[in-house]
Amino acid sequence: MSIERENLCKIHSLKKARESVILRLEERHLQEKYQLFRHQVTEQYALQKHQLRKRHEKEMERLKHYQGILLDELKSQQLQEKVRSQKSQRTEARNRQAVFKERMKNQGLSASVQKERNKQFLQQETIRQKEESQKLQQKQEQELQKFKEHLEETCRELVQIQVENNVIYIHRSSPRLPCLSEPSVCSDDCTVH
């Protein structure tokens, strides 16, 4: 009977040793699986963060490109406006000079007086044209400055939106990462799906 008992004890201890080995193997397998999972989640987080940053860079590039086009269009419009204004001023000056000369002829003034008054008229006309050109230039500079400020504000708004997107992404993702590094702290809401 003692041999049977001994055999039963040996069988029991062998079963226990076998179960212990199986348990250690399963535990090691689960740890390896968990480490792999943690690595994958961390890599996925880094990849998504990188993709988000790249997307933000592309958005900013597109915005800057579009703004460059708008700025070029405004400068082109201003140049056309300046050319039209100069042309209009020259035409108006010729017409005013013709009317002025006609008036002087009708007044019966001598040629030397007409010449002197015409000279004065041309000087005044040059001053008037310069003033109009300066007004137009100031108006265009202010318009350009306001437009550039508007473009800068748009860039700042985009950056702010991108920062908010980053914060939202980090808030969504960050609770999972500490849970993965410390499994004992993990709660049900940390479960990664």
Side-chain angles (χ1 to χ4, degrees):
M1 189 116 150
S2 74
I3 294 178
E4 264 182 44
R5 189 168 218 180
E6 234 178 76
N7 282 341
L8 278 175
C9 279
K10 279 185 180 177
I11 290 172
H12 183 66
S13 68
L14 285 173
K15 279 184 180 180
K16 219 174 181 182
R18 181 174 173 254
E19 285 176 6
S20 176
V21 167
I22 289 172
L23 192 61
R24 279 199 307 267
L25 285 173
E26 284 179 356
E27 198 174 285
R28 191 171 352 140
H29 176 70
L30 283 174
Q31 271 186 334
E32 288 171 359
K33 196 173 175 182
Y34 175 76
Q35 291 294 334
L36 178 64
F37 174 72
R38 189 176 81 177
H39 178 72
Q40 287 173 339
V41 170
T42 306
E43 286 294 313
Q44 181 184 11
Y45 173 75
L47 177 65
Q48 287 174 343
K49 200 171 178 184
H50 175 73
Q51 288 172 336
L52 187 62
R53 188 175 63 248
K54 285 292 183 188
R55 191 179 86 213
H56 289 170
E57 287 172 6
K58 287 280 187 197
E59 287 173 352
M60 188 58 76
E61 280 177 27
R62 281 194 297 268
L63 179 65
K64 292 279 188 186
H65 177 72
Y66 179 67
Q67 287 180 341
I69 291 170
L70 292 177
L71 198 58
D72 289 344
E73 283 179 10
L74 178 62
K75 288 177 180 178
S76 174
Q77 288 172 359
Q78 287 182 340
L79 183 63
Q80 290 172 5
E81 183 182 17
K82 187 178 179 180
V83 169
R84 280 193 305 268
S85 175
Q86 289 171 345
K87 203 178 210 180
S88 171
Q89 284 178 0
R90 284 192 299 267
T91 304
E92 190 180 323
R94 280 194 296 267
N95 290 341
R96 287 168 54 116
Q97 187 178 18
V99 169
F100 183 72
K101 282 182 177 179
E102 189 63 38
R103 244 188 291 143
M104 283 194 303
K105 275 185 189 176
N106 291 341
Q107 290 176 354
L109 299 173
S110 67
S112 63
V113 172
Q114 283 184 19
K115 189 175 180 181
E116 185 58 36
R117 285 192 178 175
N118 192 41
K119 187 178 173 184
Q120 290 173 356
F121 174 82
L122 288 175
Q123 287 174 344
Q124 289 174 350
E125 195 58 32
T126 303
I127 291 169
R128 189 185 68 76
Q129 286 179 14
K130 278 185 182 178
E131 287 174 354
E132 281 186 28
S133 292
Q134 285 175 344
K135 281 181 188 175
L136 178 64
Q137 185 176 352
Q138 286 175 347
K139 181 191 130 219
Q140 287 182 341
E141 285 173 358
Q142 288 173 349
E143 184 179 31
L144 188 62
Q145 184 60 35
K146 277 186 177 179
F147 190 70
K148 284 180 178 179
E149 288 170 2
H150 172 70
L151 296 180
E152 288 172 8
E153 179 60 29
T154 304
C155 282
R156 282 193 296 274
E157 287 175 7
L158 179 61
V159 167
Q160 182 60 36
I161 289 169
Q162 291 175 344
V163 166
E164 289 170 6
N165 284 345
N166 278 337
V167 168
I168 289 169
Y169 177 73
I170 289 169
H171 281 310
R172 272 197 213 142
S173 303
S174 61
R176 295 176 180 176
L177 295 177
C179 287
L180 291 175
S181 59
E182 299 172 25
S184 60
V185 179
C186 243
S187 61
D188 292 339
D189 58 325
C190 287
T191 309
V192 181
H193 301 286

